[in-house]
Amino acid sequence: MSRLPVVAVVGRPNVGKSTLVNRILGRRAAVVEATPGVTRDRKEFDAEWLGRRFLVVDTGGWELSPSGELTQNIRAQTEAALVGADVVLFVCDAGAVITDDDAGVADMLHKSSLPTVLVGNKSDNQSQDLDVSHLYALGLGNPVAVSALHGRNIGDLLDQVLTLLPKAPPDTKRDMARLAIVGRPNVGKSTLLNTLLGEHRVLVSEVPGTTRDPIDAVVELDGEPFRVVDTAGIRRAPKIGQGADYYSVLRAKGIIQESDVALMMIDGVDGATHQDQRLAEEIAEAGVGLVVLLNKWDVATSEEREATRSSVADRLGFVGWAPVLTLSAKTGSKVKRIGSAVRASLEARQQRIPTGELNRLIRQWQETHPPPVRGGRRARIMYAVQAGRRPPMVVLFVAGGMLGDDYLRYLENRLRESYDFTGSPILIRARRRTRANA
């Protein structure tokens, strides 16, 4: 899976960055107001022009001398957005003089050496296009006069962007399964990737947070190639003001959603924490396969091993379907077992239950253990169908009352007893049948 090129839209407050983003997208996705500073968080959107796909990133207004914590955080976010950018759209107000904030953004871009298109926005007619000449003083090449509000010259601007985007390599690994190594900081994620690669390719340090950007590599497990991504350690509720750390966590969470299987690493000495619990919840909700790895097993004492197993059973019981492996990423002990666990998870995600068989089982389980009465009414499952794979999703059409989460868990447990869904979540959705479609 090739990474989409990233186009970051930057500039001082109230120059029309979000309006330009909306124009590029062809829809109102970014919030737009006349008040400076409306965009506080970095936001990413899928965009396309002339068949080329890319990500466009809307950022907050950059200020040279932020006056408070909020504007300082906005500035940090904008600077962090440049870390993963391939091309920058630097937006200025075509009808205004160059400000200290404009000059500050220009200086930052000069130091970054990123390909940059200078945009003179709010040029609403052809006679105003000449008004952008003063922007040459920023030293960033020919300014492109546009009106994001009215759509003037947006096509010309995007044509220029395409010439600067990196060429997409042939995606020869399109069918290659994608694995994400995730976990809290300093649990051994980069060490594991280096061990799988058989080389010291990823920086490993005792200092938590060494890995900020996802590290992408191809490794072989049991002779089969997989694309493996080592992500930044996911901390508890990262603050916006943490700049690059904040965005590294967001990118890590995005990687999870794009993956087929997550290799969730837990420190075998410290055991599973509430942070691990929240991360496992996020993986399951995303419909991603899961293999739990208890690392540092070689240095854990017998007491620590027992406490770790207990903490996993206690905090991760809701993902009891995930295989749990003990290993040492540092020495490579038992690392080879990961391949078979990953393969089992991938096969489970692909599994499909025939509709007739699924309905026969649902009727049987429902007769044995009917749904409880809720609000004076008892729900009845009229029909069931597996609506998708990767992950397996079962949709239940229900008449009468509502099915509670407890009954959905009951059905999931019965499905797992009948079919091997090891390593894969099962999504079960209930839809009430109305009189019109009953």
Side-chain angles (χ1 to χ4, degrees):
M1 183 182 295
S2 301
R3 181 182 73 90
L4 289 178
V6 177
V7 177
V9 181
V10 304
R12 63 176 173 84
N14 210 29
V15 291
K17 297 185 297 297
S18 296
T19 304
L20 178 58
V21 168
N22 286 335
R23 181 62 65 178
I24 292 173
L25 298 175
R27 66 184 190 278
R28 185 180 172 86
V31 178
V32 178
E33 290 185 20
T35 304
V38 169
T39 303
R40 297 179 178 180
D41 302 328
R42 184 184 108 175
K43 297 178 174 63
E44 296 184 352
F45 305 96
D46 286 315
E48 183 175 341
W49 181 249
L50 298 180
R52 291 285 302 278
R53 294 180 58 223
F54 55 92
L55 289 178
V56 60
V57 181
D58 187 22
T59 67
W62 190 94
E63 296 182 60
L64 182 64
S65 302
S67 56
E69 182 179 356
L70 176 60
T71 51
Q72 290 174 355
N73 291 344
I74 293 174
R75 170 172 168 156
Q77 293 171 33
T78 303
E79 294 172 356
L82 297 178
V83 174
D86 296 295
V87 177
V88 178
L89 292 181
F90 175 21
V91 185
C92 298
D93 188 331
V97 298
I98 294 175
T99 68
D100 290 341
D101 292 337
D102 291 324
V105 175
D107 183 60
M108 179 173 60
L109 293 175
H110 280 297
K111 293 176 180 178
S112 74
S113 299
L114 285 167
T116 300
V117 180
L118 182 59
V119 182
N121 190 29
K122 305 183 183 181
S123 181
D124 296 333
N125 55 64
Q126 190 171 3
S127 63
Q128 291 180 310
D129 289 353
L130 296 177
D131 294 341
V132 302
S133 58
H134 63 292
L135 298 180
Y136 280 99
L138 293 170
L140 290 167
N142 298 324
V144 180
V146 306
S147 172
L149 183 62
H150 299 106
R152 290 191 67 252
N153 299 334
I154 299 299
D156 294 340
L157 173 64
L158 291 175
D159 287 345
Q160 188 168 337
V161 168
L162 293 190
T163 66
L164 298 175
L165 289 179
K167 300 295 183 183
D171 195 355
T172 58
K173 307 177 181 67
R174 183 177 301 275
D175 297 327
M176 193 179 298
R178 187 178 178 91
L179 314 180
I181 303 177
V182 300
R184 292 181 291 115
N186 211 30
V187 293
K189 298 185 296 297
S190 297
T191 302
L192 176 61
L193 181 55
N194 282 331
T195 299
L196 294 175
L197 287 169
E199 59 179 289
H200 189 77
R201 173 171 168 177
V202 183
L203 177 63
V204 177
S205 170
E206 293 299 321
V207 179
T210 302
T211 302
R212 278 186 171 172
D213 291 316
I215 307 298
D216 197 313
V218 176
V219 302
E220 283 197 1
L221 301 176
D222 297 338
E224 182 176 354
F226 293 89
R227 180 161 292 282
V228 181
V229 184
D230 171 28
T231 64
I234 298 182
R235 307 169 187 268
R236 183 195 313 169
K239 297 179 180 178
I240 292 176
Q242 290 175 325
D245 282 340
Y246 173 76
Y247 286 106
S248 68
V249 172
L250 291 187
R251 285 194 293 272
K253 291 183 177 181
I255 291 296
I256 290 174
Q257 296 178 349
E258 296 172 358
S259 299
D260 297 297
V261 178
L263 303 177
M264 179 177 168
M265 298 192 71
I266 292 176
D267 192 313
V269 175
D270 297 337
T273 68
H274 288 297
Q275 287 175 255
D276 295 318
Q277 184 179 43
R278 286 191 292 271
L279 178 56
E281 289 173 351
E282 188 166 340
I283 293 169
E285 290 172 0
V288 174
L290 175 62
V291 177
V292 177
L293 307 178
L294 306 184
N295 191 30
K296 306 181 184 179
W297 211 244
D298 55 324
V299 297
T301 65
S302 58
E303 292 81 5
E304 289 169 337
R305 290 181 177 184
E306 183 177 352
T308 293
R309 290 188 184 277
S310 178
S311 67
V312 169
D314 179 42
R315 295 198 168 102
L316 303 184
F318 64 97
V319 288
W321 42 264
V324 179
L325 308 181
T326 60
L327 52 83
S328 170
K330 187 173 184 179
T331 67
S333 174
K334 300 183 179 179
V335 167
K336 289 185 178 180
R337 297 190 300 165
I338 294 176
S340 59
V342 167
R343 173 47 53 197
S345 176
L346 291 171
E347 290 176 355
R349 281 168 54 80
Q350 290 275 19
Q351 189 170 193
R352 179 177 290 280
I353 306 172
T355 301
E357 188 172 333
L358 176 62
N359 279 275
R360 178 181 59 80
L361 289 172
I362 293 291
R363 284 194 299 269
Q364 176 183 322
W365 297 330
Q366 185 173 220
E367 290 172 1
T368 303
H369 181 64
V373 175
R374 301 178 189 275
R377 305 183 68 188
R378 187 190 303 277
R380 181 163 185 80
I381 302 170
M382 308 302 294
Y383 186 72
V385 63
Q386 183 174 344
R389 295 182 293 176
R390 294 183 297 177
M393 175 184 289
V394 173
V395 177
L396 307 174
F397 295 89
V398 182
M402 297 291 293
L403 292 178
D405 291 340
D406 54 346
Y407 197 77
L408 296 182
R409 282 193 297 271
Y410 159 74
L411 293 177
E412 179 182 347
N413 291 336
R414 299 291 80 76
L415 280 171
R416 291 188 181 280
E417 290 173 359
S418 302
Y419 299 91
D420 186 3
F421 283 102
T422 301
S424 174
I426 304 175
L427 306 183
I428 303 181
R429 302 287 184 259
R431 294 183 182 177
R432 296 189 66 181
R433 298 189 67 171
T434 63
R435 292 183 177 179
N437 60 18

